[in-house]
Amino acid sequence: MWSDHLYNFYLSLKPPAKLPNGVQWLYPQKDPSVQEVLRIFLHQYYNDDRPRHLLLGINPGRYGAGVTGVNFTAPKQLTENLHIPHAFKMQSELSAEFMYAMIDAYGGPEKFYGDHFISSVCPFGFVQNGKNINYYDDKELLVKVLPFITTSMQELLKGNFDRSRCWCIGGEKNYKHFSALNDRHQWFKEVVALPHPRFIMQYKRKQLADYIALYVEKLKI
């Protein structure tokens, strides 16, 4: 079952213990309350063996998956969109708000998660001086975590993913770095870039409906 594979994947990951330059891991899956939310989410939407397409973000942030363990999902979306009980502080994040508006336009969570799974190039996130940092923002960090990113991707892809195409969320740096990895390892036949939801919500909100339509058009299978 998908639910078993994905649950075991997240709970078995062993990130490098020490990171450079004061960077710390966002590693919520070690918390039993996050494990329970993840278990419910996966059982709710992945209790089958049908193939899925993969979307890859950058790495989890401290208000979304860095809290809930569910990618691009903050506590507010857990409650209002997925109806999953939790004890997290009721907060949201811009990326999660975009993603669930898009998921609703796609046909709702059951339809969307029936076709896709959202992960990240690096499955865990990072904080430096109390702020989010991306895996590629610090050259020493990138060198340190690249082996972990590679082995994690190889483990994730033991699931029944459609390898014809992967969607990379983040049209510049994330796409550049993941495309280079994909060229080396040949995980997918094609990597397609999608604009990052946070960029859309911060700088292109007036065109929100257009970007939602763009996502839905590219992701419909």
PDB file of all heavy atoms in Angstrom, residues 13-50:
ATOM      1  N   LEU A  13      13.798   8.034   7.600  1.00  0.00           N
ATOM      2  CA  LEU A  13      14.856   8.915   7.105  1.00  0.00           C
ATOM      3  C   LEU A  13      15.814   9.301   8.227  1.00  0.00           C
ATOM      4  O   LEU A  13      15.397   9.624   9.341  1.00  0.00           O
ATOM      5  CB  LEU A  13      14.247  10.170   6.492  1.00  0.00           C
ATOM      6  CG  LEU A  13      13.492   9.985   5.173  1.00  0.00           C
ATOM      7  CD1 LEU A  13      12.840  11.303   4.756  1.00  0.00           C
ATOM      8  CD2 LEU A  13      14.413   9.484   4.077  1.00  0.00           C
ATOM      9  N   LYS A  14      17.100   9.292   7.912  1.00  0.00           N
ATOM     10  CA  LYS A  14      18.136   9.632   8.879  1.00  0.00           C
ATOM     11  C   LYS A  14      18.982  10.785   8.327  1.00  0.00           C
ATOM     12  O   LYS A  14      19.979  10.575   7.650  1.00  0.00           O
ATOM     13  CB  LYS A  14      19.030   8.417   9.163  1.00  0.00           C
ATOM     14  CG  LYS A  14      18.276   7.194   9.655  1.00  0.00           C
ATOM     15  CD  LYS A  14      17.630   7.444  11.013  1.00  0.00           C
ATOM     16  CE  LYS A  14      16.933   6.184  11.510  1.00  0.00           C
ATOM     17  NZ  LYS A  14      16.177   6.434  12.760  1.00  0.00           N
ATOM     18  N   PRO A  15      18.599  12.021   8.619  1.00  0.00           N
ATOM     19  CA  PRO A  15      19.358  13.155   8.095  1.00  0.00           C
ATOM     20  C   PRO A  15      20.694  13.302   8.807  1.00  0.00           C
ATOM     21  O   PRO A  15      20.853  12.853   9.954  1.00  0.00           O
ATOM     22  CB  PRO A  15      18.440  14.344   8.391  1.00  0.00           C
ATOM     23  CG  PRO A  15      17.650  13.928   9.580  1.00  0.00           C
ATOM     24  CD  PRO A  15      17.443  12.446   9.424  1.00  0.00           C
ATOM     25  N   PRO A  16      21.672  13.932   8.149  1.00  0.00           N
ATOM     26  CA  PRO A  16      22.955  14.202   8.812  1.00  0.00           C
ATOM     27  C   PRO A  16      22.744  14.981  10.105  1.00  0.00           C
ATOM     28  O   PRO A  16      21.936  15.912  10.155  1.00  0.00           O
ATOM     29  CB  PRO A  16      23.725  15.029   7.775  1.00  0.00           C
ATOM     30  CG  PRO A  16      23.074  14.721   6.469  1.00  0.00           C
ATOM     31  CD  PRO A  16      21.635  14.442   6.775  1.00  0.00           C
ATOM     32  N   ALA A  17      23.444  14.584  11.153  1.00  0.00           N
ATOM     33  CA  ALA A  17      23.197  15.168  12.473  1.00  0.00           C
ATOM     34  C   ALA A  17      23.612  16.627  12.554  1.00  0.00           C
ATOM     35  O   ALA A  17      22.920  17.447  13.148  1.00  0.00           O
ATOM     36  CB  ALA A  17      23.926  14.345  13.543  1.00  0.00           C
ATOM     37  N   LYS A  18      24.734  16.987  11.972  1.00  0.00           N
ATOM     38  CA  LYS A  18      25.275  18.329  12.131  1.00  0.00           C
ATOM     39  C   LYS A  18      25.294  19.052  10.797  1.00  0.00           C
ATOM     40  O   LYS A  18      25.767  18.512   9.793  1.00  0.00           O
ATOM     41  CB  LYS A  18      26.694  18.264  12.709  1.00  0.00           C
ATOM     42  CG  LYS A  18      27.280  19.623  13.064  1.00  0.00           C
ATOM     43  CD  LYS A  18      28.588  19.481  13.800  1.00  0.00           C
ATOM     44  CE  LYS A  18      29.232  20.829  14.103  1.00  0.00           C
ATOM     45  NZ  LYS A  18      28.358  21.713  14.916  1.00  0.00           N
ATOM     46  N   LEU A  19      24.761  20.277  10.786  1.00  0.00           N
ATOM     47  CA  LEU A  19      24.726  21.104   9.589  1.00  0.00           C
ATOM     48  C   LEU A  19      25.630  22.319   9.776  1.00  0.00           C
ATOM     49  O   LEU A  19      25.842  22.777  10.899  1.00  0.00           O
ATOM     50  CB  LEU A  19      23.296  21.544   9.293  1.00  0.00           C
ATOM     51  CG  LEU A  19      22.294  20.428   8.997  1.00  0.00           C
ATOM     52  CD1 LEU A  19      20.899  20.991   8.867  1.00  0.00           C
ATOM     53  CD2 LEU A  19      22.685  19.664   7.731  1.00  0.00           C
ATOM     54  N   PRO A  20      26.129  22.900   8.682  1.00  0.00           N
ATOM     55  CA  PRO A  20      27.069  24.024   8.800  1.00  0.00           C
ATOM     56  C   PRO A  20      26.380  25.355   9.063  1.00  0.00           C
ATOM     57  O   PRO A  20      25.174  25.517   8.860  1.00  0.00           O
ATOM     58  CB  PRO A  20      27.739  24.036   7.421  1.00  0.00           C
ATOM     59  CG  PRO A  20      26.693  23.496   6.493  1.00  0.00           C
ATOM     60  CD  PRO A  20      25.957  22.450   7.295  1.00  0.00           C
ATOM     61  N   ASN A  21      27.160  26.313   9.527  1.00  0.00           N
ATOM     62  CA  ASN A  21      26.782  27.730   9.593  1.00  0.00           C
ATOM     63  C   ASN A  21      25.521  27.998  10.409  1.00  0.00           C
ATOM     64  O   ASN A  21      24.713  28.871  10.068  1.00  0.00           O
ATOM     65  CB  ASN A  21      26.622  28.291   8.173  1.00  0.00           C
ATOM     66  CG  ASN A  21      27.881  28.122   7.347  1.00  0.00           C
ATOM     67  OD1 ASN A  21      28.988  28.213   7.877  1.00  0.00           O
ATOM     68  ND2 ASN A  21      27.730  27.855   6.064  1.00  0.00           N
ATOM     69  N   GLY A  22      25.339  27.236  11.483  1.00  0.00           N
ATOM     70  CA  GLY A  22      24.210  27.469  12.369  1.00  0.00           C
ATOM     71  C   GLY A  22      22.871  27.045  11.834  1.00  0.00           C
ATOM     72  O   GLY A  22      21.828  27.386  12.404  1.00  0.00           O
ATOM     73  N   VAL A  23      22.848  26.284  10.737  1.00  0.00           N
ATOM     74  CA  VAL A  23      21.594  25.802  10.160  1.00  0.00           C
ATOM     75  C   VAL A  23      21.094  24.617  10.990  1.00  0.00           C
ATOM     76  O   VAL A  23      21.871  23.752  11.393  1.00  0.00           O
ATOM     77  CB  VAL A  23      21.774  25.391   8.693  1.00  0.00           C
ATOM     78  CG1 VAL A  23      20.465  24.852   8.122  1.00  0.00           C
ATOM     79  CG2 VAL A  23      22.264  26.572   7.864  1.00  0.00           C
ATOM     80  N   GLN A  24      19.793  24.582  11.249  1.00  0.00           N
ATOM     81  CA  GLN A  24      19.182  23.487  11.993  1.00  0.00           C
ATOM     82  C   GLN A  24      18.098  22.828  11.142  1.00  0.00           C
ATOM     83  O   GLN A  24      17.482  23.461  10.294  1.00  0.00           O
ATOM     84  CB  GLN A  24      18.573  24.002  13.303  1.00  0.00           C
ATOM     85  CG  GLN A  24      19.604  24.585  14.261  1.00  0.00           C
ATOM     86  CD  GLN A  24      18.961  25.123  15.520  1.00  0.00           C
ATOM     87  OE1 GLN A  24      17.922  25.779  15.477  1.00  0.00           O
ATOM     88  NE2 GLN A  24      19.585  24.849  16.652  1.00  0.00           N
ATOM     89  N   TRP A  25      17.882  21.542  11.411  1.00  0.00           N
ATOM     90  CA  TRP A  25      16.850  20.799  10.686  1.00  0.00           C
ATOM     91  C   TRP A  25      15.443  21.165  11.142  1.00  0.00           C
ATOM     92  O   TRP A  25      15.217  21.421  12.322  1.00  0.00           O
ATOM     93  CB  TRP A  25      17.011  19.302  10.911  1.00  0.00           C
ATOM     94  CG  TRP A  25      18.127  18.662  10.176  1.00  0.00           C
ATOM     95  CD1 TRP A  25      19.332  18.267  10.673  1.00  0.00           C
ATOM     96  CD2 TRP A  25      18.153  18.322   8.777  1.00  0.00           C
ATOM     97  NE1 TRP A  25      20.104  17.703   9.688  1.00  0.00           N
ATOM     98  CE2 TRP A  25      19.409  17.721   8.519  1.00  0.00           C
ATOM     99  CE3 TRP A  25      17.233  18.458   7.735  1.00  0.00           C
ATOM    100  CZ2 TRP A  25      19.760  17.269   7.248  1.00  0.00           C
ATOM    101  CZ3 TRP A  25      17.590  18.006   6.474  1.00  0.00           C
ATOM    102  CH2 TRP A  25      18.832  17.428   6.238  1.00  0.00           C
ATOM    103  N   LEU A  26      14.517  21.187  10.207  1.00  0.00           N
ATOM    104  CA  LEU A  26      13.087  21.113  10.492  1.00  0.00           C
ATOM    105  C   LEU A  26      12.703  19.654  10.272  1.00  0.00           C
ATOM    106  O   LEU A  26      12.634  19.195   9.129  1.00  0.00           O
ATOM    107  CB  LEU A  26      12.288  22.008   9.538  1.00  0.00           C
ATOM    108  CG  LEU A  26      12.024  23.444   9.930  1.00  0.00           C
ATOM    109  CD1 LEU A  26      11.319  24.175   8.791  1.00  0.00           C
ATOM    110  CD2 LEU A  26      11.205  23.536  11.195  1.00  0.00           C
ATOM    111  N   TYR A  27      12.470  18.939  11.353  1.00  0.00           N
ATOM    112  CA  TYR A  27      12.321  17.483  11.295  1.00  0.00           C
ATOM    113  C   TYR A  27      11.113  17.088  12.139  1.00  0.00           C
ATOM    114  O   TYR A  27      11.230  16.447  13.173  1.00  0.00           O
ATOM    115  CB  TYR A  27      13.621  16.872  11.827  1.00  0.00           C
ATOM    116  CG  TYR A  27      13.741  15.375  11.792  1.00  0.00           C
ATOM    117  CD1 TYR A  27      12.856  14.573  11.074  1.00  0.00           C
ATOM    118  CD2 TYR A  27      14.772  14.761  12.481  1.00  0.00           C
ATOM    119  CE1 TYR A  27      12.992  13.206  11.055  1.00  0.00           C
ATOM    120  CE2 TYR A  27      14.927  13.383  12.478  1.00  0.00           C
ATOM    121  CZ  TYR A  27      14.034  12.617  11.767  1.00  0.00           C
ATOM    122  OH  TYR A  27      14.168  11.253  11.759  1.00  0.00           O
ATOM    123  N   PRO A  28       9.890  17.488  11.711  1.00  0.00           N
ATOM    124  CA  PRO A  28       8.719  17.299  12.559  1.00  0.00           C
ATOM    125  C   PRO A  28       8.304  15.845  12.744  1.00  0.00           C
ATOM    126  O   PRO A  28       7.612  15.512  13.705  1.00  0.00           O
ATOM    127  CB  PRO A  28       7.624  18.092  11.838  1.00  0.00           C
ATOM    128  CG  PRO A  28       8.027  18.039  10.397  1.00  0.00           C
ATOM    129  CD  PRO A  28       9.537  18.126  10.425  1.00  0.00           C
ATOM    130  N   GLN A  29       8.716  14.976  11.827  1.00  0.00           N
ATOM    131  CA  GLN A  29       8.243  13.588  11.876  1.00  0.00           C
ATOM    132  C   GLN A  29       8.756  12.818  13.094  1.00  0.00           C
ATOM    133  O   GLN A  29       8.291  11.720  13.369  1.00  0.00           O
ATOM    134  CB  GLN A  29       8.627  12.848  10.592  1.00  0.00           C
ATOM    135  CG  GLN A  29       7.794  13.236   9.384  1.00  0.00           C
ATOM    136  CD  GLN A  29       8.320  14.468   8.679  1.00  0.00           C
ATOM    137  OE1 GLN A  29       9.264  15.116   9.128  1.00  0.00           O
ATOM    138  NE2 GLN A  29       7.731  14.808   7.538  1.00  0.00           N
ATOM    139  N   LYS A  30       9.681  13.386  13.844  1.00  0.00           N
ATOM    140  CA  LYS A  30      10.124  12.723  15.076  1.00  0.00           C
ATOM    141  C   LYS A  30       9.119  12.929  16.213  1.00  0.00           C
ATOM    142  O   LYS A  30       9.203  12.264  17.240  1.00  0.00           O
ATOM    143  CB  LYS A  30      11.497  13.244  15.496  1.00  0.00           C
ATOM    144  CG  LYS A  30      11.542  14.732  15.795  1.00  0.00           C
ATOM    145  CD  LYS A  30      12.966  15.196  16.046  1.00  0.00           C
ATOM    146  CE  LYS A  30      13.022  16.707  16.248  1.00  0.00           C
ATOM    147  NZ  LYS A  30      14.405  17.201  16.414  1.00  0.00           N
ATOM    148  N   ASP A  31       8.147  13.828  16.028  1.00  0.00           N
ATOM    149  CA  ASP A  31       7.125  14.135  17.030  1.00  0.00           C
ATOM    150  C   ASP A  31       5.954  13.154  16.868  1.00  0.00           C
ATOM    151  O   ASP A  31       5.387  13.037  15.787  1.00  0.00           O
ATOM    152  CB  ASP A  31       6.638  15.567  16.827  1.00  0.00           C
ATOM    153  CG  ASP A  31       5.644  16.024  17.891  1.00  0.00           C
ATOM    154  OD1 ASP A  31       4.951  15.171  18.467  1.00  0.00           O
ATOM    155  OD2 ASP A  31       5.564  17.239  18.115  1.00  0.00           O
ATOM    156  N   PRO A  32       5.560  12.443  17.922  1.00  0.00           N
ATOM    157  CA  PRO A  32       4.454  11.479  17.808  1.00  0.00           C
ATOM    158  C   PRO A  32       3.149  12.103  17.308  1.00  0.00           C
ATOM    159  O   PRO A  32       2.382  11.433  16.600  1.00  0.00           O
ATOM    160  CB  PRO A  32       4.303  10.942  19.232  1.00  0.00           C
ATOM    161  CG  PRO A  32       5.661  11.098  19.836  1.00  0.00           C
ATOM    162  CD  PRO A  32       6.214  12.371  19.243  1.00  0.00           C
ATOM    163  N   SER A  33       2.876  13.366  17.657  1.00  0.00           N
ATOM    164  CA  SER A  33       1.641  13.999  17.186  1.00  0.00           C
ATOM    165  C   SER A  33       1.681  14.214  15.673  1.00  0.00           C
ATOM    166  O   SER A  33       0.646  14.098  14.994  1.00  0.00           O
ATOM    167  CB  SER A  33       1.406  15.329  17.905  1.00  0.00           C
ATOM    168  OG  SER A  33       2.438  16.259  17.634  1.00  0.00           O
ATOM    169  N   VAL A  34       2.853  14.510  15.133  1.00  0.00           N
ATOM    170  CA  VAL A  34       3.002  14.645  13.682  1.00  0.00           C
ATOM    171  C   VAL A  34       2.888  13.277  13.014  1.00  0.00           C
ATOM    172  O   VAL A  34       2.265  13.141  11.956  1.00  0.00           O
ATOM    173  CB  VAL A  34       4.344  15.314  13.340  1.00  0.00           C
ATOM    174  CG1 VAL A  34       4.569  15.335  11.825  1.00  0.00           C
ATOM    175  CG2 VAL A  34       4.396  16.724  13.891  1.00  0.00           C
ATOM    176  N   GLN A  35       3.468  12.275  13.623  1.00  0.00           N
ATOM    177  CA  GLN A  35       3.357  10.917  13.092  1.00  0.00           C
ATOM    178  C   GLN A  35       1.894  10.485  12.967  1.00  0.00           C
ATOM    179  O   GLN A  35       1.504   9.854  11.989  1.00  0.00           O
ATOM    180  CB  GLN A  35       4.123   9.944  13.974  1.00  0.00           C
ATOM    181  CG  GLN A  35       5.628  10.160  13.972  1.00  0.00           C
ATOM    182  CD  GLN A  35       6.344   9.271  14.972  1.00  0.00           C
ATOM    183  OE1 GLN A  35       5.781   8.314  15.506  1.00  0.00           O
ATOM    184  NE2 GLN A  35       7.602   9.585  15.242  1.00  0.00           N
ATOM    185  N   GLU A  36       1.081  10.851  13.950  1.00  0.00           N
ATOM    186  CA  GLU A  36      -0.327  10.473  13.908  1.00  0.00           C
ATOM    187  C   GLU A  36      -1.074  11.222  12.801  1.00  0.00           C
ATOM    188  O   GLU A  36      -1.882  10.636  12.079  1.00  0.00           O
ATOM    189  CB  GLU A  36      -0.985  10.739  15.263  1.00  0.00           C
ATOM    190  CG  GLU A  36      -2.479  10.440  15.326  1.00  0.00           C
ATOM    191  CD  GLU A  36      -2.829   8.972  15.085  1.00  0.00           C
ATOM    192  OE1 GLU A  36      -1.911   8.122  15.008  1.00  0.00           O
ATOM    193  OE2 GLU A  36      -4.023   8.670  14.954  1.00  0.00           O
ATOM    194  N   VAL A  37      -0.794  12.521  12.634  1.00  0.00           N
ATOM    195  CA  VAL A  37      -1.408  13.283  11.549  1.00  0.00           C
ATOM    196  C   VAL A  37      -0.994  12.706  10.199  1.00  0.00           C
ATOM    197  O   VAL A  37      -1.823  12.533   9.294  1.00  0.00           O
ATOM    198  CB  VAL A  37      -1.014  14.771  11.650  1.00  0.00           C
ATOM    199  CG1 VAL A  37      -1.315  15.510  10.342  1.00  0.00           C
ATOM    200  CG2 VAL A  37      -1.753  15.439  12.809  1.00  0.00           C
ATOM    201  N   LEU A  38       0.274  12.390  10.056  1.00  0.00           N
ATOM    202  CA  LEU A  38       0.760  11.819   8.814  1.00  0.00           C
ATOM    203  C   LEU A  38       0.097  10.471   8.535  1.00  0.00           C
ATOM    204  O   LEU A  38      -0.299  10.181   7.397  1.00  0.00           O
ATOM    205  CB  LEU A  38       2.275  11.667   8.888  1.00  0.00           C
ATOM    206  CG  LEU A  38       3.005  11.194   7.634  1.00  0.00           C
ATOM    207  CD1 LEU A  38       2.788  12.163   6.476  1.00  0.00           C
ATOM    208  CD2 LEU A  38       4.494  11.030   7.919  1.00  0.00           C
ATOM    209  N   ARG A  39      -0.042   9.660   9.563  1.00  0.00           N
ATOM    210  CA  ARG A  39      -0.693   8.360   9.401  1.00  0.00           C
ATOM    211  C   ARG A  39      -2.134   8.523   8.917  1.00  0.00           C
ATOM    212  O   ARG A  39      -2.570   7.834   7.990  1.00  0.00           O
ATOM    213  CB  ARG A  39      -0.677   7.591  10.734  1.00  0.00           C
ATOM    214  CG  ARG A  39      -1.225   6.172  10.635  1.00  0.00           C
ATOM    215  CD  ARG A  39      -1.479   5.580  11.995  1.00  0.00           C
ATOM    216  NE  ARG A  39      -2.558   6.278  12.693  1.00  0.00           N
ATOM    217  CZ  ARG A  39      -3.845   6.085  12.450  1.00  0.00           C
ATOM    218  NH1 ARG A  39      -4.247   5.228  11.519  1.00  0.00           N
ATOM    219  NH2 ARG A  39      -4.751   6.762  13.132  1.00  0.00           N
ATOM    220  N   ILE A  40      -2.879   9.452   9.523  1.00  0.00           N
ATOM    221  CA  ILE A  40      -4.274   9.683   9.128  1.00  0.00           C
ATOM    222  C   ILE A  40      -4.347  10.186   7.685  1.00  0.00           C
ATOM    223  O   ILE A  40      -5.161   9.714   6.880  1.00  0.00           O
ATOM    224  CB  ILE A  40      -4.950  10.682  10.090  1.00  0.00           C
ATOM    225  CG1 ILE A  40      -5.065  10.084  11.492  1.00  0.00           C
ATOM    226  CG2 ILE A  40      -6.325  11.089   9.564  1.00  0.00           C
ATOM    227  CD1 ILE A  40      -5.484  11.077  12.540  1.00  0.00           C
ATOM    228  N   PHE A  41      -3.499  11.159   7.363  1.00  0.00           N
ATOM    229  CA  PHE A  41      -3.485  11.725   6.009  1.00  0.00           C
ATOM    230  C   PHE A  41      -3.203  10.645   4.969  1.00  0.00           C
ATOM    231  O   PHE A  41      -3.916  10.533   3.951  1.00  0.00           O
ATOM    232  CB  PHE A  41      -2.434  12.828   5.924  1.00  0.00           C
ATOM    233  CG  PHE A  41      -2.139  13.296   4.524  1.00  0.00           C
ATOM    234  CD1 PHE A  41      -3.048  14.078   3.830  1.00  0.00           C
ATOM    235  CD2 PHE A  41      -0.951  12.953   3.896  1.00  0.00           C
ATOM    236  CE1 PHE A  41      -2.796  14.509   2.535  1.00  0.00           C
ATOM    237  CE2 PHE A  41      -0.679  13.381   2.604  1.00  0.00           C
ATOM    238  CZ  PHE A  41      -1.600  14.154   1.926  1.00  0.00           C
ATOM    239  N   LEU A  42      -2.188   9.845   5.210  1.00  0.00           N
ATOM    240  CA  LEU A  42      -1.808   8.828   4.229  1.00  0.00           C
ATOM    241  C   LEU A  42      -2.874   7.744   4.112  1.00  0.00           C
ATOM    242  O   LEU A  42      -3.166   7.268   3.006  1.00  0.00           O
ATOM    243  CB  LEU A  42      -0.456   8.227   4.604  1.00  0.00           C
ATOM    244  CG  LEU A  42       0.732   9.191   4.513  1.00  0.00           C
ATOM    245  CD1 LEU A  42       1.993   8.536   5.052  1.00  0.00           C
ATOM    246  CD2 LEU A  42       0.944   9.671   3.080  1.00  0.00           C
ATOM    247  N   HIS A  43      -3.468   7.352   5.215  1.00  0.00           N
ATOM    248  CA  HIS A  43      -4.525   6.338   5.158  1.00  0.00           C
ATOM    249  C   HIS A  43      -5.755   6.887   4.428  1.00  0.00           C
ATOM    250  O   HIS A  43      -6.433   6.157   3.698  1.00  0.00           O
ATOM    251  CB  HIS A  43      -4.910   5.894   6.567  1.00  0.00           C
ATOM    252  CG  HIS A  43      -5.949   4.818   6.583  1.00  0.00           C
ATOM    253  ND1 HIS A  43      -5.660   3.493   6.329  1.00  0.00           N
ATOM    254  CD2 HIS A  43      -7.301   4.868   6.798  1.00  0.00           C
ATOM    255  CE1 HIS A  43      -6.771   2.775   6.387  1.00  0.00           C
ATOM    256  NE2 HIS A  43      -7.775   3.585   6.669  1.00  0.00           N
ATOM    257  N   GLN A  44      -6.007   8.176   4.605  1.00  0.00           N
ATOM    258  CA  GLN A  44      -7.182   8.807   4.009  1.00  0.00           C
ATOM    259  C   GLN A  44      -7.088   8.905   2.492  1.00  0.00           C
ATOM    260  O   GLN A  44      -8.091   8.738   1.785  1.00  0.00           O
ATOM    261  CB  GLN A  44      -7.326  10.216   4.621  1.00  0.00           C
ATOM    262  CG  GLN A  44      -8.648  10.909   4.402  1.00  0.00           C
ATOM    263  CD  GLN A  44      -8.846  12.033   5.406  1.00  0.00           C
ATOM    264  OE1 GLN A  44      -8.987  11.811   6.601  1.00  0.00           O
ATOM    265  NE2 GLN A  44      -8.819  13.264   4.919  1.00  0.00           N
ATOM    266  N   TYR A  45      -5.863   9.154   1.978  1.00  0.00           N
ATOM    267  CA  TYR A  45      -5.718   9.440   0.548  1.00  0.00           C
ATOM    268  C   TYR A  45      -4.826   8.462  -0.214  1.00  0.00           C
ATOM    269  O   TYR A  45      -4.809   8.497  -1.454  1.00  0.00           O
ATOM    270  CB  TYR A  45      -5.177  10.860   0.361  1.00  0.00           C
ATOM    271  CG  TYR A  45      -6.139  11.905   0.863  1.00  0.00           C
ATOM    272  CD1 TYR A  45      -5.886  12.605   2.041  1.00  0.00           C
ATOM    273  CD2 TYR A  45      -7.332  12.161   0.187  1.00  0.00           C
ATOM    274  CE1 TYR A  45      -6.790  13.549   2.520  1.00  0.00           C
ATOM    275  CE2 TYR A  45      -8.235  13.098   0.656  1.00  0.00           C
ATOM    276  CZ  TYR A  45      -7.957  13.790   1.823  1.00  0.00           C
ATOM    277  OH  TYR A  45      -8.848  14.716   2.301  1.00  0.00           O
ATOM    278  N   TYR A  46      -4.120   7.594   0.489  1.00  0.00           N
ATOM    279  CA  TYR A  46      -3.166   6.712  -0.186  1.00  0.00           C
ATOM    280  C   TYR A  46      -3.306   5.260   0.250  1.00  0.00           C
ATOM    281  O   TYR A  46      -2.336   4.506   0.205  1.00  0.00           O
ATOM    282  CB  TYR A  46      -1.731   7.220   0.049  1.00  0.00           C
ATOM    283  CG  TYR A  46      -1.488   8.568  -0.584  1.00  0.00           C
ATOM    284  CD1 TYR A  46      -1.648   9.730   0.156  1.00  0.00           C
ATOM    285  CD2 TYR A  46      -1.168   8.669  -1.932  1.00  0.00           C
ATOM    286  CE1 TYR A  46      -1.467  10.974  -0.431  1.00  0.00           C
ATOM    287  CE2 TYR A  46      -0.984   9.901  -2.529  1.00  0.00           C
ATOM    288  CZ  TYR A  46      -1.133  11.056  -1.765  1.00  0.00           C
ATOM    289  OH  TYR A  46      -0.957  12.278  -2.365  1.00  0.00           O
ATOM    290  N   ASN A  47      -4.505   4.864   0.582  1.00  0.00           N
ATOM    291  CA  ASN A  47      -4.734   3.492   1.033  1.00  0.00           C
ATOM    292  C   ASN A  47      -5.038   2.583  -0.165  1.00  0.00           C
ATOM    293  O   ASN A  47      -6.070   1.913  -0.222  1.00  0.00           O
ATOM    294  CB  ASN A  47      -5.874   3.460   2.054  1.00  0.00           C
ATOM    295  CG  ASN A  47      -5.891   2.167   2.845  1.00  0.00           C
ATOM    296  OD1 ASN A  47      -4.846   1.584   3.099  1.00  0.00           O
ATOM    297  ND2 ASN A  47      -7.076   1.713   3.217  1.00  0.00           N
ATOM    298  N   ASP A  48      -4.133   2.611  -1.148  1.00  0.00           N
ATOM    299  CA  ASP A  48      -4.300   1.835  -2.383  1.00  0.00           C
ATOM    300  C   ASP A  48      -2.931   1.677  -3.029  1.00  0.00           C
ATOM    301  O   ASP A  48      -1.918   2.122  -2.490  1.00  0.00           O
ATOM    302  CB  ASP A  48      -5.265   2.545  -3.338  1.00  0.00           C
ATOM    303  CG  ASP A  48      -4.775   3.924  -3.739  1.00  0.00           C
ATOM    304  OD1 ASP A  48      -3.809   3.994  -4.527  1.00  0.00           O
ATOM    305  OD2 ASP A  48      -5.338   4.937  -3.270  1.00  0.00           O
ATOM    306  N   ASP A  49      -2.894   1.062  -4.192  1.00  0.00           N
ATOM    307  CA  ASP A  49      -1.630   0.835  -4.894  1.00  0.00           C
ATOM    308  C   ASP A  49      -1.604   1.469  -6.284  1.00  0.00           C
ATOM    309  O   ASP A  49      -0.757   1.131  -7.115  1.00  0.00           O
ATOM    310  CB  ASP A  49      -1.369  -0.674  -5.030  1.00  0.00           C
ATOM    311  CG  ASP A  49      -1.052  -1.324  -3.700  1.00  0.00           C
ATOM    312  OD1 ASP A  49      -0.248  -0.757  -2.944  1.00  0.00           O
ATOM    313  OD2 ASP A  49      -1.618  -2.399  -3.409  1.00  0.00           O
ATOM    314  N   ARG A  50      -2.535   2.378  -6.568  1.00  0.00           N
ATOM    315  CA  ARG A  50      -2.563   3.009  -7.888  1.00  0.00           C
ATOM    316  C   ARG A  50      -1.349   3.924  -8.084  1.00  0.00           C
ATOM    317  O   ARG A  50      -0.891   4.556  -7.136  1.00  0.00           O
ATOM    318  CB  ARG A  50      -3.848   3.824  -8.052  1.00  0.00           C
ATOM    319  CG  ARG A  50      -5.101   2.967  -8.147  1.00  0.00           C
ATOM    320  CD  ARG A  50      -6.327   3.796  -8.392  1.00  0.00           C
ATOM    321  NE  ARG A  50      -6.702   4.610  -7.240  1.00  0.00           N
ATOM    322  CZ  ARG A  50      -6.629   5.933  -7.204  1.00  0.00           C
ATOM    323  NH1 ARG A  50      -6.191   6.610  -8.249  1.00  0.00           N
ATOM    324  NH2 ARG A  50      -7.010   6.586  -6.126  1.00  0.00           N
TER     325      ARG A  50
END
